[in-house]
């Protein structure tokens, strides 16, 4: 039996909840469909020692400051999960968990949202499915012949899984640095960190707050036709959260250049040197999870969908939220998703 809602939000992570907050304020009838069994979005799947790169009060969704975590300047992933679960309850957001959306289709003046638990007809859809379910693995010779274990950020949990091993961590972003530090600070593990270019640490007094401010200034400059301010690219990539700082200051976080191939028992560099390894952890990023939108036939560059702000350029009843700067400056962060969520809901309310 087909159900009806003014708006269906696909995804109940931070982006979907921020949309829900604004839909509630606009008095619209909506439903949030989320594939996970519990609140927290991807935060509930992240590794044990992961910490935010911004302090709690700078990692808040609209309407509710994230409370500080006792003893932690930068809260851990478990604290974020608790905050999101509380947020869902506090604003009485209608999230239906354990509900995977498989397809969104046009259906006359409505959009049809086909989920594994039923079908919804909606005036508008907000897609907030994140990237966690689309880990990116680069094409490197030998990847299929390497006999060791290959993990991605999404399946790394803790050094305890790598005891007495040589582990190679690939990637010069925050995930790579935090996982390399996590392993390097554990004496039971030998770790080699490799990056495509020398890692760029932000100054110790710069954290996610500055990244958000710079990303916003860039968007404002672009929106008002001023020249590109280059955004955070000029600042660096890695926030020196406590574990990264300790490992770096102990000289345990020196990166080597990226290897050129995997061998059966390890890796090989361009100069022919080799190293044996039991595990490779690919901290090589993600792609947006958009397969449910395929029936709409929307196209954009690099696997994105062409948008004006959050609105799909070729389907005005569809908004995309939380996927990265292409859907709003810093919109893939807790503090950055609130504004594009508000703007998307205002546009939907005005659709009439
Ligand atoms: P997600 O949190 O991934 O939530 C998407 C939800 O959609 C999930 O619940 C999923 O089950 C659901 N879903 C997916 N597909 C479907 C479907 N077809 N049908 C129904 N439901 C579906 N951000 C910060 O603000 N501060 C940080 O310090 C920070 N550190 C980070 C560290 C790492 C290692 C990573 C990977 C990211 C970090 N981020 C940080 C970014 C932030 O965690 C993510 O970008 C954020 O989780 C995105 O939120 P989201 O709601 O868009 O997606």
């Amino acid at each position: 039996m087909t159900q009806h809602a003014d708006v269906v939000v696909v995804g109940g992570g931070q982006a979907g909840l921020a949309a829900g907050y604004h839909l509630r304020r606009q008095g619209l009838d909506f439903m949030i469909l989320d594939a996970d069994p519990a609140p927290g979005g991807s935060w509930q799947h992240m590794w044990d020692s992961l910490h935010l790169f911004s302090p709690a009060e700078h990692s808040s969704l609209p309407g509710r400051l994230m409370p500080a975590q006792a003893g932690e300047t930068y809260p851990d992933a478990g604290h974020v999960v608790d905050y999101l679960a509380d947020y869902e309850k506090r604003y009485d957001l209608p999230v239906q968990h354990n509900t995977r959306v498989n397809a969104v289709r046009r259906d006359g003046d409505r959009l049809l949202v086909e989920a594994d638990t039923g079908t919804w007809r909606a005036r508008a859809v907000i897609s907030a499915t994140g990237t966690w379910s689309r880990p990116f693995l680069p094409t490197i010779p030998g990847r299929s012949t390497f006999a060791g274990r290959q993990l991605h950020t999404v399946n790394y949990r803790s050094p305890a899984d790598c005891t007495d091993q040589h582990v190679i961590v690939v990637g010069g972003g925050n995930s790579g640095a935090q996982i390399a530090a996590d392993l390097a600070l554990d004496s039971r593990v030998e770790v080699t960190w490799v990056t495509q270019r020398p890692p760029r640490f932000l100054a110790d007094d710069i954290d996610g707050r500055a990244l958000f401010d710079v990303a916003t200034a860039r968007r404002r400059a672009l929106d008002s036709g001023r020249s590109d301010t280059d955004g955070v690219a000029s600042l660096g990539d890695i926030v020196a959260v406590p574990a990264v700082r300790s490992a770096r200051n102990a000289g345990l976080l020196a990166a080597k250049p990226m290897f050129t191939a995997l061998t059966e028992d390890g890796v090989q560099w361009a100069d022919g040197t080799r190293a044996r390894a039991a595990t490779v952890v690919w901290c090589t990023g993600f792609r947006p999870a958009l397969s449910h939108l395929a029936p709409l036939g929307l196209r954009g560059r690099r696997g994105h969908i062409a948008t004006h702000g959050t609105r799909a350029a070729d389907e005005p009843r569809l908004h995309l939220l939380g996927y990265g700067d292409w859907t709003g400056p810093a919109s893939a962060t807790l503090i950055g998703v609130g504004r594009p969520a508000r703007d998307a809901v205002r546009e939907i309310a005005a659709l009439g």
Side-chain angles (χ1 to χ4, degrees), residues 79-90:
H79 186 75
V80 181
V81 173
D82 295 345
Y83 168 72
L84 295 177
D86 170 70
Y87 192 93
E88 199 175 299
K89 237 193 262 127
R90 177 176 295 271

Side-chain angles (χ1 to χ4, degrees), residues 127 129-131 134 136 286-294 298-307 320 323 326-327:
S127 182
T129 50
T131 58
R134 288 275 326 273
F136 171 71
F286 300 85
R287 294 294 179 267
L290 302 176
S291 59
H292 57 296
L293 301 176
L298 302 169
R299 285 268 168 275
R301 287 178 315 120
R302 299 205 318 258
H304 297 168
I305 286 178
T307 54
L320 294 112
Y323 293 105
W326 63 281
T327 56

Side-chain angles (χ1 to χ4, degrees), residues 62 84 101 110 207 232-233 253:
L84 295 177
V101 168
R110 289 288 185 268
D207 61 26
V232 296
L253 217 46

